[in-house]
Amino acid sequence: PLLDRVLASQDSNVRSAGVRVLADWSNDANFVKPALNPEEAIKRLTRAVGDDSPRVRLEAVRGLGTFRSWEAAKVALKVLDLPMDNFLDYALWLTLNEATEPVLTAIADVQVAQELPVKHVEYVFSAIEPSKAVAALRSYLVSHPLDE
């Protein structure tokens, strides 16, 4: 399909526009029935989060924010593994704050928290309002005691 060709373009501006369309087409806020399956959209956005272009990564992180789910937030956190700038930082902050409840529920789960890189967990707790994060942080610290 055309969208796949746009997402594979050599031009990062074209790819970033494609990622925005992908996010819009997979969001039920824009359509009665999304044009794309959410699981497929998250899979494609996962590739975009790892793109060389910061603009493509930015669009992917914001697109993931529309899902307001732990699965999408977990993918968005992968942007931390590549060079960050202020725009990406803010996009990730927004994405995590749009999915506060599912993110904190997941982080409070010991098994989920153990699978995440520490850098990702640190970012979650620095991004989400402290009054909301306290219970999840307490649960995380019980399972991950601080070194003395």
Side-chain angles (χ1 to χ4, degrees):
L2 178 60
L3 182 58
D4 289 332
R5 288 189 299 180
V6 169
L7 294 173
S9 172
Q10 295 296 315
D11 185 337
S12 64
N13 292 321
V14 172
R15 288 195 313 276
S16 67
V19 170
R20 181 171 290 198
V21 169
L22 167 63
D24 285 345
W25 283 1
S26 58
N27 184 343
D28 61 1
N30 296 322
F31 296 97
V32 174
K33 180 179 180 206
L36 288 175
N37 170 325
E39 291 80 24
E40 179 62 29
I42 289 175
K43 190 167 92 174
R44 290 179 181 188
L45 289 168
T46 299
R47 287 192 296 268
V49 164
D51 196 277
D52 291 338
S53 168
R55 182 176 285 175
V56 174
R57 294 195 306 269
L58 177 80
E59 291 293 346
V61 169
R62 289 306 302 135
L64 289 160
T66 65
F67 292 95
R68 291 175 167 73
S69 70
W70 166 241
E71 293 76 20
K74 184 175 164 183
V75 171
L77 284 164
K78 292 179 181 182
V79 78
L80 292 169
D81 300 333
L82 295 167
M84 293 287 287
D85 61 27
N86 291 336
F87 301 105
L88 281 165
D89 183 58
Y90 183 62
L92 183 56
W93 182 90
L94 280 174
T95 295
L96 293 174
N97 278 280
E98 288 168 342
T100 298
E101 293 307 317
V103 167
L104 291 178
T105 300
I107 293 283
D109 181 317
V110 173
Q111 195 155 11
V112 170
Q114 288 176 338
E115 294 171 1
L116 288 176
V118 172
K119 175 170 58 171
H120 295 192
V121 175
E122 288 173 351
Y123 191 92
V124 167
F125 286 123
S126 70
I128 293 177
E129 184 181 327
S131 64
K132 294 179 181 177
V134 167
L137 179 58
R138 185 177 298 124
S139 176
Y140 180 80
L141 289 174
V142 165
S143 63
H144 295 82
L146 297 175
D147 295 332
E148 293 184 30

